[in-house]
Every structure is written in structure tokens, then in C-alpha cells.
Amino acid sequence: MRLVLLGPPGAGKGTQAQKLVAKWGIAQLSTGDMLRAAVAEGSPLGLEAKAIMDRGELVPDRLVIDLIDARLDGADAANGFILDGFPRTVAQAEALDALLEAKQMRLDAVVELVVDEAMLLKRVENRIRETLQAGNSVRADDNAEVLKTRLDAYRKQTAPVSAYYAGKGALKQVDGMAPIGDVEAALHAALTS
Ligand code: AMP
């Protein structure tokens, strides 16, 4: 199973991706996680990406395309993968098509978690408060101000990616505002239909 999971920040992509990983035995390839690991390591890539991520903007396409290229045929992805947070621009989607073709792979599904943007801010604010109450730290880009920039980037740069896949007849949409278990069931139905 090879799939792309689309949806704005706070839509629950990470949560659903983890469930799919457990269910299908596939790898979760999250460019956000890879970039945060590079920042934590202090690698040249991390140094280039950190300030951009902290502002909530998108890092240059070539950085994430290279990261994904290195992971698509990794040992952990032998059963397939779920792309979480990639592609986020049409250029990334086109690059992904080229990479998959070169590796003689194809996507089984592209699923978008559709959410009400007005509710997202509330959802993320709740997540931040609960995390802090539990005594844990939150991501540097998890605050209302940066979230607005991230949503803006989503609207301008990532929403066209949904249109790109819809144009190929490859897009399935699931209501991301439903309770987590319902979203999981709807995703399962979308992937097995
Ligand atoms: P995420 O954890 O997916 O929300 O990603 C956190 C941040 O990493 C984003 O706000 C971007 O700055 C950066 N990032 C992650 N994936 C991508 C991508 N595919 N293209 C550009 N920037 C990305």
C-alpha cells in the first residue's frame, strides 16, 4: 500500500498515519519529522530549514524531494509507505510522480482529510494546552501566530496539490472533523473500496 495523505496542519494526518502504519505494516514518511530530526542533529539541512520552519513557511522543494527520494525504497518501506506532509506544492507532486516512475512504483491512493479551517485553530490551541498541562513541551511552530502562516501556506501552495490529484481522478476525500475512530473507519473504507 502506497499512499499520500493530504490535509492542513492540525487535520489529524499524523494521528491517522500512525494508525495506518500499525494496520498495514507500512512506513510513515513524514517530511516534517525528517526535517525536525535534521534540525535536532544540527546538520546543514537542519540549519537551512530551522528558521523557515519556525516561521511556518515551506522549506525549498529540493530539500524535501531529496529527503523523500532517499526513503521511498528504504527497507522500512518494503510493504509500502504513507506520505504525511508531502507533497505540499504542485512542483513536489510532479517530482514525486517522476521519482515513482523511475523506481517503477505507483500510488494506490491519495486521500485528503477535509476540515473546517475555522475549527482548526481551536483544535490546535486545545492540543497545545493539553500538551503543556501534561508537562510536555510543544513544537516551536505550534502556536496560534505561526499556525496562521502555516494555514496560509496550505491555502496558497498545498490546496492546488489536491486539485492536481483530483485532475488525475486520483483524489479521495474523507471528513477530517469527525471523531478519530470515524475518520479511521472512513479512511479504511476509502482505501479498500
Ligand atoms: P509538519 O510536521 O508536516 O507540519 O511540517 C513542519 C514544517 O516543516 C512545515 O511547516 C514546513 O516548514 C516544513 N515542511 C514539512 N514538510 C514540508 C514539505 N513537503 N515542503 C515544504 N516544507 C515542509
Side-chain angles (χ1 to χ4, degrees):
M1 170 68 71
R2 299 185 185 112
L3 65 125
V4 169
L5 195 52
L6 295 172
K13 291 191 300 293
T15 304
Q16 293 299 333
Q18 281 169 15
K19 292 179 185 298
L20 291 166
V21 163
K23 197 178 284 175
W24 297 90
I26 55 182
Q28 177 184 3
L29 303 183
S30 155
T31 40
D33 285 351
M34 293 174 206
L35 289 166
R36 279 185 288 279
V39 170
E41 270 169 28
S43 68
L45 164 66
L47 293 177
E48 184 173 350
K50 184 177 186 322
I52 302 172
M53 293 171 73
D54 285 350
R55 288 197 299 272
E57 296 166 6
L58 296 186
V59 306
D61 288 334
R62 76 183 153 75
L63 295 186
V64 283
I65 292 166
D66 287 351
L67 284 173
I68 285 293
D69 185 11
R71 295 289 301 277
L72 286 178
D73 42 14
D76 61 334
N79 286 332
F81 51 75
I82 171 162
L83 296 176
D84 163 14
F86 180 94
R88 257 174 157 104
T89 65
V90 171
Q92 290 177 23
E94 287 168 350
L96 175 62
D97 279 348
L99 286 176
L100 291 171
E101 197 179 331
K103 294 176 196 291
Q104 295 184 328
M105 293 175 173
R106 53 179 292 279
L107 292 175
D108 295 296
V110 179
V111 187
E112 178 183 19
L113 294 182
V114 180
V115 296
D116 173 356
E117 261 202 37
M119 294 296 292
L120 270 187
L121 205 58
K122 274 209 175 69
R123 197 188 249 195
V124 174
E125 279 168 356
N126 284 342
R127 188 173 76 191
I128 293 168
R129 199 181 41 247
E130 283 165 15
T131 308
L132 291 174
Q133 275 168 358
N136 298 318
S137 53
V138 296
R139 283 166 39 177
D141 60 353
D142 252 351
N143 64 66
E145 194 54 37
V146 175
L147 182 68
K148 285 196 188 111
T149 309
R150 292 167 68 201
L151 282 173
D152 226 41
Y154 182 82
R155 227 177 286 119
K156 291 195 185 117
Q157 293 165 277
T158 310
V161 174
S162 298
Y164 174 83
Y165 287 116
K168 291 166 164 265
L171 184 72
K172 296 182 180 186
Q173 293 181 312
V174 163
D175 174 13
M177 297 312 285
I180 289 179
D182 293 358
V183 177
E184 187 182 358
L187 263 174
H188 185 79
L191 295 176
T192 51
S193 64

